Amino acid sequence: MVSVSSSIARPSSLRLHPLPATRFPPVASKCFFHCAASGTTTRVCELKIWMLERLKWQKNIRTHGWEKKPRMLQVQDSVEETTSNSEVAESSPPNVQPIIPKVLECSTESSSSSASGNSVDRAPSLCIAVVGATGELARNKIFPALFALYYSGFLPENVGIFGYSRKDLSDEDLRNIVAATLTCRVDHHENCGDKLDAFLDRTYHINGGFNNKDGMKKLNRRMEQIEGEHEANRIFYLSVPQEALLDVSVSLADNSQTKRGWNRIIIEKPFGFDALSSYKLTQCFLSKFQEKQLYRIDHRLGKDLIENITVLRFSNLVFEPLWSRTYIKNVQVILSEECGMEAQGRYFGHYGVIRDIVHSHILQTIALFAMEPPVSLDGEDIRNEKVKVLRSIRKLNLNDVVLGQYKNSADKSGCYMNSLMPTFFAAALYIDNARWDGVPFLVKTGVGLIKHRQMIAGLLLDQVEIRIQFHHVPGNLYRERISHNIDLTTNELILRDQPDEAILLKVNNKVPGLGLQLDASELNLLYRDKYDVEVPDSYEHLLLDVIDGDTHLFMRSDELEAAWNILTPILDKIEENKVVPELYETGGRGPVGAYYLGANHGNAFSSGINFEVILELTKFESSSPNLVLAVSLMNASRIEDDSSSSR
């Protein structure tokens, strides 16, 4: 037998995983015994021992659900060895130091901390600061979304909600302001009051005053009181005007970031006013933060419609092969926004519909729709593909753009006549790549368009619709059986957003009865009929993505630059030429010029204008072939609208 010394020196800093009572299987002991003759072979056998034990530990994790990061034991010189450690010493060959792989070492808290009753497994705390806490956006959207996430269990119990403003408010004052806008959703019934009280108890106010540097230091100290000495993560939602954004962000970066976890910064649009201002803003942010910390938010991208674009395409074999110029004739993206004071302030201030909606929501929707399949669903992989699409969009000309401005129907002289800021924008975009060459992407967005405006609980809501029109069937055998206008029989896939969420597929079918007559019908998935749940607000979706670190619905700096490179030239031309927007009635269907645009590109938007306008246009049919086509398309669109309503 080999004599084994039991006094092998053990490094004082060695820390080991706690292991089961039987440390090594029998085969391991045999390996030590037979390998004593050779130092090199002994080291190989010791490695085998460790590998066998590691595999056994991982099997226990899968079988019994053990923690993947078990508590560690710190072994010191004066500490008495455990039974398992003694077994290792007794089994070791003479003068051979046991090889302990570095993966067994750890730097967590010592066993004395566990003995004192402090939990070393405490989850990281999360602090969320809403900068601009008394503003309309914070009160009506951000705080309600945070409460909904808290109620649903998506926020940790040790969360801290901080409202930062310049007002001299107490914690209780802020809680009263926030409580006035908090409600439980229809599917949130149980313990709603208790959850509401618990959420408000975790809400605090910081008076930042007029010196953001001092204010952010106060915010940091208050957060540290909640976090203690444990790992902590922080989210800062910058709900502030553009002119205050740089000062707030620089003060935040220097004085409020945690060093014991991650920091994430949410920035509201618009992200600059043109390519140059956006570039300067981006460079300032990147001088203080890493790109992975920045989350440029557009609440419209948090809607289920946007997620459904990629889900329908990449999870259904019936659609993926059709997603190209070979089968798709055109793509239409249509958005109508409520005609409220907030929209008026944005449009007739400095932003306008192009900077506010087209730059982020419309272009991001097109990028998600038209991108190549990403390597994975990782946010960076998706953003890599989106930016390729944005860089491939053809330069816009004034002939490809229609501007409009709504007028108040109660004011016969028109509204905001002294401003040239558009509230309506239509354009034909082309993507110059192999997949989409020659396919027009027709976008139309504006305030108060009748078909895409819905009212719920007395509030006008945005509605978005994406329509994919396919080519006609080549050599269609049933052409003679189709109605006089073959455009009405075009196959379409329609994605519609709330409140009438739906996925519709327009197909041709035989009319029941004798004879052979074809009709265009819709195969529909109506969300309100299929799913008996209340759809979460888009802010809930996006805030949860920020917490999870999912970036695919947020614009990266290179996406931002590519989008401005598309729009800045056309904005400059509009400014230089003093283009006057065409007036249209609130509650109507937008400017007539949008149908000129559709006619020029051989397509019609899905919703027409007032029939009375068509009658006026027909007086001038002889003067313009394109106008004749526009009138025909508008008539077809009106007929389609009527038939859809009847169905």
Side-chain angles (χ1 to χ4, degrees):
M1 294 290 292
V2 179
S3 175
V4 179
S5 171
S6 61
S7 60
I8 298 175
R10 184 185 307 276
S12 60
S13 62
L14 181 63
R15 297 184 176 96
L16 300 174
H17 286 291
L19 299 172
T22 304
R23 183 179 174 93
F24 298 119
V27 65
S29 300
K30 292 179 183 179
C31 184
F32 260 124
F33 179 77
H34 291 296
C35 294
S38 169
T40 302
T41 308
T42 300
R43 293 177 181 271
V44 173
C45 291
E46 289 173 345
L47 181 59
K48 281 185 177 180
I49 291 170
W50 176 80
M51 292 174 64
L52 288 168
E53 181 54 39
R54 187 71 176 173
L55 290 171
K56 181 179 179 181
W57 180 62
Q58 291 177 347
K59 180 179 179 182
N60 286 332
I61 292 175
R62 293 192 297 268
T63 305
H64 304 293
W66 292 0
E67 289 180 281
K68 293 184 178 180
K69 295 183 178 179
R71 297 182 183 179
M72 309 302 179
L73 295 178
Q74 181 178 359
V75 184
Q76 302 186 12
D77 292 335
S78 58
V79 179
E80 183 177 344
E81 297 180 0
T82 62
T83 303
S84 59
N85 291 337
S86 300
E87 291 175 1
V88 176
E90 292 172 0
S91 304
S92 301
N95 302 323
V96 176
Q97 195 80 342
I99 299 175
I100 307 297
K102 290 185 178 181
V103 292
L104 292 179
E105 298 178 5
C106 73
S107 58
T108 55
E109 300 173 41
S110 65
S111 57
S112 60
S113 299
S114 299
S116 65
N118 295 331
S119 173
V120 299
D121 291 332
R122 168 176 168 169
S125 64
L126 175 64
C127 287
I128 303 175
V130 181
V131 182
T134 57
E136 183 178 355
L137 176 63
R139 289 184 286 108
N140 295 332
K141 291 295 184 179
I142 301 174
F143 284 115
L146 290 173
F147 171 63
L149 292 176
Y150 180 79
Y151 184 99
S152 302
F154 290 108
L155 297 182
E157 283 297 323
N158 55 350
V159 68
I161 308 295
F162 296 84
Y164 180 100
S165 75
R166 291 179 173 178
K167 295 187 178 180
D168 187 14
L169 302 174
S170 65
D171 292 344
E172 196 60 34
D173 292 335
L174 178 64
R175 289 166 184 168
N176 291 333
I177 293 173
V178 171
T181 59
L182 298 187
T183 57
C184 288
R185 293 206 305 260
V186 174
D187 52 352
H188 286 177
H189 289 295
E190 298 181 4
N191 303 320
C192 180
D194 295 339
K195 286 283 189 179
L196 183 60
D197 292 339
F199 177 80
L200 293 174
D201 287 342
R202 290 167 171 79
T203 303
Y204 314 94
H205 182 260
I206 304 297
N207 179 8
F210 291 90
N211 187 328
N212 283 316
K213 181 178 179 181
D214 294 338
M216 288 299 170
K217 288 180 179 178
K218 289 170 61 177
L219 175 61
N220 182 58
R221 288 194 296 269
R222 194 73 184 273
M223 285 182 166
E224 288 178 340
Q225 294 176 3
I226 302 296
E227 296 165 347
E229 299 299 323
H230 298 275
E231 183 181 353
N233 301 317
R234 294 180 181 178
I235 293 174
F236 300 89
Y237 198 123
L238 306 187
S239 177
V240 297
Q242 285 288 301
E243 53 269 21
L245 186 57
L246 285 181
D247 181 53
V248 169
S249 59
V250 170
S251 301
L252 184 161
D254 294 337
N255 300 287
S256 288
Q257 295 196 85
T258 181
K259 295 179 174 60
R260 292 180 284 112
W262 46 254
N263 299 275
R264 292 171 183 163
I265 319 300
I266 303 176
I267 307 165
E268 272 284 347
K269 63 180 176 62
F271 313 115
F273 296 97
D274 53 25
L276 180 59
S277 63
S278 177
Y279 174 79
K280 292 179 178 178
L281 190 63
T282 298
Q283 293 306 306
C284 181
F285 277 122
L286 294 180
S287 69
K288 294 294 183 179
F289 306 103
Q290 299 178 37
E291 180 67 54
K292 65 181 181 181
Q293 292 181 261
L294 302 177
Y295 289 75
R296 298 175 180 88
I297 189 171
D298 182 345
H299 71 277
R300 296 180 186 87
L301 296 175
K303 297 179 179 292
D304 284 336
L305 168 70
I306 302 300
E307 293 283 24
N308 256 332
I309 293 174
T310 52
V311 170
L312 277 176
R313 175 183 173 186
F314 296 125
S315 68
N316 293 285
L317 183 60
V318 68
F319 293 128
E320 169 56 20
L322 307 181
W323 226 257
S324 72
R325 63 187 179 88
T326 306
Y327 298 100
I328 293 180
K329 181 181 180 183
N330 68 80
V331 179
Q332 301 176 23
V333 181
I334 306 168
L335 181 146
S336 175
E337 191 175 32
E338 60 176 300
C339 184
M341 292 303 298
E342 181 185 356
Q344 291 180 13
R346 289 200 312 271
Y347 292 154
F348 295 107
H350 301 288
Y351 306 157
V353 65
I354 300 176
R355 293 180 176 93
D356 187 71
I357 295 181
V358 179
H359 173 263
S360 55
H361 174 68
I362 296 296
L363 291 182
Q364 283 289 297
T365 300
I366 291 175
L368 282 166
F369 179 94
M371 69 180 182
E372 294 298 314
V375 175
S376 71
L377 292 178
D378 178 75
E380 293 308 302
D381 289 336
I382 293 177
R383 297 206 286 190
N384 289 340
E385 298 303 328
K386 286 196 297 177
V387 75
K388 294 177 185 177
V389 174
L390 294 173
R391 288 171 176 167
S392 300
I393 293 179
R394 186 185 304 171
K395 182 180 177 180
L396 275 171
N397 295 314
L398 277 178
N399 293 335
D400 298 326
V401 172
V402 174
L403 302 179
Q405 185 182 106
Y406 79 88
K407 62 179 180 179
N408 191 339
S409 57
D411 184 0
K412 300 303 181 181
S413 64
C415 185
Y416 297 103
M417 293 298 291
N418 294 327
S419 171
L420 296 181
M421 193 65 68
T423 62
F424 175 95
F425 175 86
L429 301 173
Y430 287 86
I431 300 173
D432 291 331
N433 63 19
R435 181 181 290 270
W436 298 109
D437 185 30
V439 177
F441 284 75
L442 302 172
V443 302
K444 182 171 75 170
T445 178
V447 173
L449 305 182
I450 186 170
K451 182 175 181 179
H452 301 283
R453 185 185 62 169
Q454 297 290 335
M455 181 174 288
I456 290 183
L459 296 175
L460 290 173
L461 302 178
D462 302 354
Q463 189 171 25
V464 185
E465 187 172 276
I466 300 174
R467 302 176 76 99
I468 302 102
Q469 290 190 348
F470 295 91
H471 288 295
H472 301 306
V473 177
N476 195 333
L477 296 176
Y478 294 96
R479 186 180 184 90
E480 295 180 358
R481 306 289 182 174
I482 297 174
S483 61
H484 66 283
N485 192 335
I486 194 171
D487 288 322
L488 296 181
T489 63
T490 299
N491 296 132
E492 282 187 310
L493 176 62
I494 305 166
L495 309 181
R496 186 174 295 158
D497 191 26
Q498 65 184 108
D500 295 327
E501 293 140 303
I503 300 175
L504 312 173
L505 182 60
K506 184 178 174 183
V507 298
N508 297 313
N509 62 279
K510 177 185 178 298
V511 176
L514 301 176
L516 185 60
Q517 186 66 35
L518 270 60
D519 184 32
S521 304
E522 291 177 348
L523 307 179
N524 57 62
L525 167 60
L526 303 179
Y527 274 54
R528 64 174 180 268
D529 296 336
K530 176 68 174 179
Y531 304 105
D532 187 21
V533 295
E534 185 174 355
V535 179
D537 185 77
S538 57
Y539 279 93
E540 297 176 40
H541 184 175
L542 294 173
L543 283 170
L544 184 58
D545 282 350
V546 174
I547 295 170
D548 293 339
D550 185 349
T551 59
H552 81 284
L553 293 177
F554 301 88
M555 294 182 73
R556 201 167 58 189
S557 295
D558 53 353
E559 294 181 77
L560 197 64
E561 180 183 7
W564 278 121
N565 288 340
I566 297 168
L567 296 177
T568 298
I570 197 67
L571 285 169
D572 291 341
K573 289 181 180 179
I574 292 171
E575 180 68 22
E576 291 170 6
N577 293 277
K578 303 296 182 183
V579 178
V580 178
E582 181 182 342
L583 290 178
Y584 64 95
E585 296 282 349
T586 303
R589 300 181 186 269
V592 178
Y595 281 86
Y596 251 132
L597 182 67
N600 288 337
H601 294 274
N603 299 283
F605 280 106
S606 60
S607 58
I609 62 170
N610 292 330
F611 187 58
E612 291 76 15
V613 177
I614 296 177
L615 295 178
E616 291 297 320
L617 287 173
T618 55
K619 299 176 182 178
F620 307 97
E621 287 184 9
S622 59
S623 62
S624 172
N626 281 337
L627 188 55
V628 176
L629 178 57
V631 170
S632 175
L633 291 173
M634 287 186 286
N635 272 296
S637 181
R638 184 182 67 84
I639 295 170
E640 179 188 12
D641 288 346
D642 294 342
S643 61
S644 296
S645 300
S646 64
R647 286 197 295 269

